[in-house]
Amino acid sequence: MEADMTMEIKDNTFARQFETLADQGLVSVEYSFQEKKIFLTKINTPESFDDEEFISTFLKNIMGIAIERKFKVVPILPKIVVFFKKNSVYKELLPPGIRL
């Protein structure tokens, strides 16, 4: 379950977001934690940024972090729900009772 490409991701715990740099600037995914679950709540991108492949790779890398830390992932944002539907290999990260 390796991500397509290695990307440097910073877990900015103060801002509660994962961050990485794209050519256009900072891309981040905001999160909140609750009982070993990480709720992915928002994706922030530079204006006019529309590289869906980059976002998908970023999310795959975040799933890798969740696996490492043994977290369950709760996708709040519709875009992240779509990511889970397209990448069924990560469905094991969903908490019991969450159906997409």
Side-chain angles (χ1 to χ4, degrees), residues 32-69:
S32 62
F33 275 117
Q34 192 178 331
E35 301 163 5
K36 296 287 279 175
K37 291 189 205 94
I38 185 167
F39 292 76
L40 301 178
T41 56
K42 187 175 181 189
I43 298 174
N44 300 304
T45 58
E47 211 168 306
S48 77
F49 181 89
D50 64 351
D51 188 343
E52 293 301 319
E53 190 61 37
F54 186 92
I55 298 291
S56 180
T57 301
F58 187 25
L59 289 171
K60 287 176 184 176
N61 278 275
I62 291 170
M63 296 308 130
I65 292 169
I67 291 166
E68 268 175 38
R69 298 181 185 175

Side-chain angles (χ1 to χ4, degrees), residues 1 82-94:
M1 239 193 298
V82 168
F83 169 83
F84 269 94
K85 287 180 177 176
K86 285 183 181 171
N87 298 276
S88 59
V89 66
Y90 297 114
K91 285 201 173 155
E92 69 197 39
L93 292 174
L94 296 169

